[in-house]
Amino acid sequence: MPNKARATLETLYRIFTVPEAPDSTLGLIDQAISDDVTGFLQTHIVAIERNLEEIEASFASCAIPEEPTYVSEYTEFVKANLVAQSVHTAAPGFVGHMTSALPYFMLPLARLMTALNQNLVKVETSKAFTPMERQVLGMIHHLVYRQPDAFYPPWIHNSQSALGAFCSGGTIANVTALWVARNRLFAPDGEFRGIAQEGLGRALRHRGCDGIAVFVSERGHYSFGKAADLLGLGRDHLVKVRTDENNRIDLRALRAECRRLRDENILPLALVGIAGTTETGNIDPLEALADLAAEFGCHFHVDAAWGGPTLFSDRHRSLLAGIERADSVTIDAHKQLYAPMGAGMVVFKDPTAVSAIEHHANYILRHGSKDLGSHTLEGSRPGMALLVHAGLSIIGRKGYELLIDLGIERARTFATMIRQHPDFELTSEPELNILTYRYCPRAVQQTLTEAPTDQAAAINALLDQVCQLLQKYQREAGKTFVSRTRLRTARYGEEITVLRSVLANPLTTDAILTSVLTEQCEIVQQQEIPALLQQVEALCNFR
Ligand SMILES: *Cc1c(COP(=O)(O)O)cnc(C)c1O
């Protein structure tokens, strides 16, 4: 590097005190994102695609730079190597993952949050941010459990309780929920001082059982695997129950699994219902799961990381009926509450439930303090709740209702386009705003319904390759984006590769969805795909 700033006390002092000049590189970027963030992203996330290996070369050195450098020099590096080569997740044609465009106010408020640099672990470093976060948890609790207004005053700002835990996302929320469930199952009891104190081995001996299990459908999020590992259940005891043709947990299979584990002397810790599966957006029968959990006497958790905000919609809320019977519910704010990455929540029906994971430290989190950190897995945490509070306050219930209704409507429109298109097959109907499909011309679909198993398997294997390449080329072209996954579908009884589309960006239009399909039809005529399709055709003609 040619330009080296000198490491003097004076330059360091300037870094902490002197604002960036408006005409400097960083100052200009700052201005540009303030003026028009959409335009900035469009122009600065570049079309010239470098492959990841090339990009890695810009981030190869593990030596910490010895000498300070100029901010402008560093910013030029960021512009060229980071911004330009990041993913335009806000683009209306980016309909493959759970990221969306953000409401404009999130950006300046996020800067304000950084400027204030509060730490929500304790009141001493967050003051008003603590009651504000507690209010956000109360609002989400109310959204889920609809308790009367008089329910909240004794709990919302109570040092002994918390209506939930704010965290970095759905994963930590799910882990927290099961952590609470585990500690309540093995609560202190006579001589036994509880699992938190004595550990899992003694807890099992105390209850006279050989293990504990969590039940979730095979569409369950991978975070439950992490939770099973972390909490000592073991991944073998995360029981993945098969799903029906609508990707919902099969209740008979669930009962059978529960019985099987009972016979092995394994105690059910929790049943998990999913409200909006990550891959297909389907909702488990929550009422029936609540009944089963009551019957087994275990914790009932609902993972509504994705689908929770459906509760804002008068029209669609009933899809989640039964969620109010859950002991705990996860909702991700960085998904359908349109907050930036890094905001999730878990709320508990019983406001004293979190005392099962209460912990204290002498210098903070003292007994009787209102520190939120005494009931969270994470320690230091940013003031992200501000951004959720802003969304709830500015967009409001009716605003979110519109966004939810719009997404579901758009998914139905897209499903109709796919169904009517001669070259695509819809592989999961949208219940919310997520659907899956694949490239599979109608004649091939016809053959597959009649073909013997091995012929169908051979055709599906080729279509899997088509799907994989199609998704890859589309991503590389950078115009529109869908994701892909592998699902066992009731129709084929085996896993197939499918394209996955998430319709949560309000700026996505029907015309853009048409262009997604048009582009895919163009892509299948390129590179290796026609050869694969010829093989499919040959297999179809062979009877
Ligand atoms: C996204 C998601 C999660 C995980 O949330 P993160 O914020 O990625 O940690 C868990 N469950 C479901 C259903 C999800 O959609």
Side-chain angles (χ1 to χ4, degrees), residues 98 168-172 174 219 221-224 274-278 303-307 330 332 334-335 343-344:
M98 293 174 154
S168 64
T171 297
I172 302 294
N174 284 337
R219 294 280 173 273
H221 190 264
Y222 59 81
S223 49
F224 292 107
I274 312 166
T277 61
T278 315
D303 182 0
W306 180 254
T330 287
D332 245 340
H334 58 217
K335 290 178 180 167

Coordinates of all heavy atoms in Angstrom, one line a residue, residues 98 168-172 174 219 221-224 274-278 303-307 330 332 334-335 343-344, ligand 1:
M98 N -35.3 -15.4 2.2 CA -36.2 -14.6 3.1 C -35.8 -13.2 3.3 O -36.2 -12.6 4.3 CB -36.3 -15.4 4.4 CG -37.0 -16.8 4.1 SD -37.0 -17.8 5.6 CE -38.5 -18.8 5.4
S168 N -30.7 -12.5 18.4 CA -30.2 -12.2 17.1 C -31.0 -12.9 15.9 O -30.8 -12.5 14.8 CB -28.7 -12.6 17.0 OG -28.6 -14.0 17.1
G169 N -31.8 -13.8 16.3 CA -32.6 -14.5 15.2 C -33.3 -15.7 15.7 O -33.3 -16.0 16.9
G170 N -34.0 -16.4 14.7 CA -34.8 -17.5 15.0 C -34.0 -18.7 15.6 O -34.6 -19.4 16.5
T171 N -32.8 -18.9 15.3 CA -32.0 -20.0 15.8 C -31.9 -19.8 17.3 O -32.2 -20.7 18.1 CB -30.6 -20.0 15.2 OG1 -30.8 -20.3 13.8 CG2 -29.7 -21.1 15.8
I172 N -31.4 -18.7 17.8 CA -31.2 -18.4 19.2 C -32.6 -18.5 19.9 O -32.7 -19.0 21.0 CB -30.5 -17.1 19.5 CG1 -29.2 -17.0 18.7 CG2 -30.3 -16.8 21.0 CD1 -28.2 -18.0 19.2
N174 N -35.2 -20.3 19.1 CA -35.6 -21.7 19.2 C -34.8 -22.4 20.3 O -35.3 -23.2 21.1 CB -35.4 -22.5 17.9 CG -36.5 -22.2 16.9 OD1 -37.6 -21.7 17.3 ND2 -36.3 -22.3 15.6
R219 N -39.8 -31.1 8.0 CA -39.5 -29.8 7.4 C -39.0 -28.8 8.5 O -38.8 -27.6 8.2 CB -40.9 -29.2 6.9 CG -41.4 -29.9 5.7 CD -40.8 -29.5 4.4 NE -41.3 -30.4 3.4 CZ -40.8 -31.6 3.1 NH1 -39.7 -32.0 3.7 NH2 -41.3 -32.3 2.1
H221 N -36.7 -26.6 10.9 CA -35.5 -25.9 10.7 C -34.3 -26.5 11.3 O -34.4 -27.1 12.4 CB -35.7 -24.4 11.2 CG -34.6 -23.5 10.8 ND1 -33.5 -23.2 11.6 CD2 -34.4 -22.8 9.6 CE1 -32.7 -22.4 10.9 NE2 -33.3 -22.1 9.8
Y222 N -33.1 -26.4 10.7 CA -31.9 -27.1 11.2 C -31.5 -26.5 12.6 O -30.7 -27.2 13.2 CB -30.8 -27.0 10.2 CG -30.4 -25.6 9.8 CD1 -29.5 -24.9 10.6 CD2 -30.8 -25.0 8.7 CE1 -29.1 -23.6 10.3 CE2 -30.4 -23.7 8.3 CZ -29.6 -23.0 9.2 OH -29.2 -21.7 8.8
S223 N -32.1 -25.4 13.0 CA -31.7 -24.9 14.3 C -32.1 -25.9 15.4 O -31.4 -25.9 16.5 CB -32.3 -23.5 14.6 OG -33.7 -23.5 14.3
F224 N -33.1 -26.7 15.2 CA -33.5 -27.7 16.2 C -32.4 -28.7 16.4 O -32.2 -29.3 17.5 CB -34.9 -28.3 15.9 CG -35.9 -27.2 16.1 CD1 -36.6 -26.7 14.9 CD2 -36.3 -26.7 17.3 CE1 -37.5 -25.8 15.1 CE2 -37.3 -25.8 17.4 CZ -37.9 -25.3 16.3
I274 N -44.7 -26.0 13.4 CA -44.1 -25.0 12.5 C -45.2 -24.2 11.9 O -46.1 -24.7 11.3 CB -43.2 -25.6 11.4 CG1 -42.3 -26.7 12.0 CG2 -42.4 -24.5 10.7 CD1 -41.6 -27.6 11.0
A275 N -45.0 -22.9 12.0 CA -46.0 -22.0 11.4 C -45.2 -21.2 10.3 O -44.7 -20.2 10.4 CB -46.6 -21.0 12.4
G276 N -45.2 -21.9 9.1 CA -44.5 -21.4 8.0 C -43.1 -22.1 7.9 O -42.1 -21.6 8.4
T277 N -43.1 -23.3 7.2 CA -41.8 -24.0 7.1 C -40.9 -23.2 6.2 O -41.4 -22.6 5.2 CB -42.1 -25.4 6.5 OG1 -42.6 -25.3 5.2 CG2 -43.0 -26.2 7.4
T278 N -39.6 -23.3 6.5 CA -38.7 -22.5 5.8 C -38.7 -22.8 4.3 O -38.5 -21.9 3.4 CB -37.3 -22.8 6.4 OG1 -37.4 -22.7 7.8 CG2 -36.3 -21.7 5.9
D303 N -42.6 -22.8 16.1 CA -41.6 -22.0 15.4 C -42.3 -21.2 14.3 O -42.6 -21.7 13.2 CB -40.6 -23.0 14.7 CG -39.5 -22.2 14.0 OD1 -39.5 -21.0 14.0 OD2 -38.6 -22.9 13.5
A304 N -42.6 -20.0 14.6 CA -43.3 -19.1 13.7 C -42.3 -18.0 13.2 O -42.7 -16.9 12.9 CB -44.5 -18.4 14.4
A305 N -41.0 -18.4 13.1 CA -40.0 -17.5 12.7 C -40.4 -16.8 11.4 O -40.3 -15.6 11.3 CB -38.7 -18.2 12.5
W306 N -40.9 -17.6 10.5 CA -41.4 -17.0 9.2 C -42.8 -16.5 9.3 O -43.2 -15.4 9.0 CB -41.2 -18.0 8.0 CG -41.6 -17.4 6.8 CD1 -42.8 -17.7 6.1 CD2 -41.0 -16.3 6.0 NE1 -42.9 -16.9 5.0 CE2 -41.8 -16.0 4.9 CE3 -39.8 -15.6 6.2 CZ2 -41.5 -15.0 4.0 CZ3 -39.5 -14.6 5.3 CH2 -40.3 -14.3 4.2
G307 N -43.7 -17.4 9.7 CA -45.1 -17.2 9.5 C -45.8 -16.4 10.6 O -47.0 -16.0 10.4
T330 N -41.5 -18.6 18.5 CA -40.4 -17.9 17.9 C -41.0 -17.0 16.8 O -41.7 -17.5 16.0 CB -39.4 -18.9 17.4 OG1 -38.7 -19.5 18.4 CG2 -38.4 -18.2 16.4
D332 N -39.2 -14.2 13.9 CA -38.0 -13.5 13.5 C -38.4 -12.1 13.0 O -39.3 -12.0 12.2 CB -37.4 -14.3 12.3 CG -36.0 -14.8 12.6 OD1 -35.4 -14.3 13.5 OD2 -35.6 -15.7 11.8
H334 N -36.3 -10.1 11.5 CA -35.6 -9.7 10.3 C -36.1 -10.5 9.1 O -35.6 -10.5 8.0 CB -34.0 -10.0 10.4 CG -33.6 -11.3 10.8 ND1 -32.6 -11.6 11.6 CD2 -34.1 -12.6 10.4 CE1 -32.4 -12.9 11.8 NE2 -33.3 -13.5 11.1
K335 N -37.3 -11.1 9.3 CA -38.0 -11.7 8.1 C -39.2 -10.8 7.8 O -39.1 -9.8 7.3 CB -38.3 -13.2 8.4 CG -37.0 -14.0 8.4 CD -37.3 -15.5 8.7 CE -36.0 -16.2 8.7 NZ -36.1 -17.6 9.3
A343 N -32.3 -9.8 14.2 CA -33.4 -9.5 15.2 C -34.4 -10.7 15.2 O -35.1 -10.9 14.2 CB -34.1 -8.2 14.9
G344 N -34.5 -11.3 16.3 CA -35.4 -12.4 16.5 C -36.0 -12.4 17.9 O -35.5 -11.6 18.8
Ligands
LIG1 C1 -35.4 -18.5 9.4 C2 -36.0 -19.6 10.3 C3 -35.3 -20.0 11.4 C4 -34.0 -19.5 11.8 O1 -33.9 -18.2 12.0 P1 -32.5 -17.4 11.9 O2 -32.9 -16.0 12.0 O3 -31.9 -17.7 10.5 O4 -31.6 -17.9 13.0 C5 -36.0 -20.9 12.2 N1 -37.2 -21.4 11.9 C6 -37.8 -21.1 10.7 C7 -39.1 -21.7 10.4 C8 -37.2 -20.1 9.9 O5 -37.8 -19.8 8.8

